Amino acid sequence: MLPALTLGLLGSGWYSRMVRSSMIEVLHQDFIRTARAKGLSRARIVFVHVLPNAIVPVIPMIGIDIGVFMGGLVVVESVFGWPGIGQLAWQSIQQVDIPVIVGVTTLSAVAIVLGNLLADLAIPLVDPRIDIKQH
């Protein structure tokens, strides 16, 4: 639990700050004023109207930061003695084991590309105004 919590805390401050600034920006838009004028509750406005619009710019950041998390694995696995891909990469670099280094690098690159792809595909699910079809 502690290694996962450590990796999760790595970007939590950055993401919370980005979501906060995005939410402040969305709160000043006209459709929020309209929702308030309709008499919607504050919680409904925040969770139904503001948060889905504010989270859209943060989703691609998460996809891009997968590389940062992969780099953080090396430190977290070394500190906690947790055998994993980060520790394997570090041991391979120390022993100059080229095939393992290439394999770990390739696997990390595929994970980063898939993370970016999934982040880009998740945006239309969160914001229905974004259409992925070509016109």
Side-chain angles (χ1 to χ4, degrees), residues 86-134:
Q87 199 170 29
L88 176 66
W90 181 247
Q91 290 171 354
S92 304
I93 291 169
Q94 288 178 332
Q95 297 172 0
V96 191
D97 190 0
I98 302 298
V100 176
I101 294 171
V102 170
V104 168
T105 305
T106 304
L107 184 65
S108 298
V110 167
I112 291 168
V113 169
L114 283 176
N116 283 315
L117 177 67
L118 291 175
D120 287 341
L121 292 176
I123 292 173
L125 297 175
V126 174
D127 190 0
R129 295 175 299 172
I130 300 173
D131 190 15
I132 57 175
K133 297 176 188 170
Q134 294 290 330

Side-chain angles (χ1 to χ4, degrees), residues 2-64:
L2 201 54
L5 182 65
T6 304
L7 278 176
L9 287 175
L10 182 66
S12 64
W14 172 255
Y15 296 131
S16 61
R17 194 172 72 182
M18 294 305 296
V19 169
R20 180 186 178 274
S21 65
S22 185
M23 285 185 77
I24 290 171
E25 184 179 320
V26 172
L27 279 169
H28 294 296
Q29 293 184 359
D30 291 336
F31 72 95
I32 299 300
R33 193 172 326 138
T34 304
R36 285 186 185 134
K38 287 182 176 181
L40 295 177
S41 69
R42 183 181 177 107
R44 182 165 173 85
I45 290 172
V46 169
F47 290 112
V48 174
H49 296 288
V50 177
L51 192 59
N53 287 295
I55 202 81
V56 170
V58 178
I59 292 174
M61 293 170 152
I62 294 170
I64 291 169

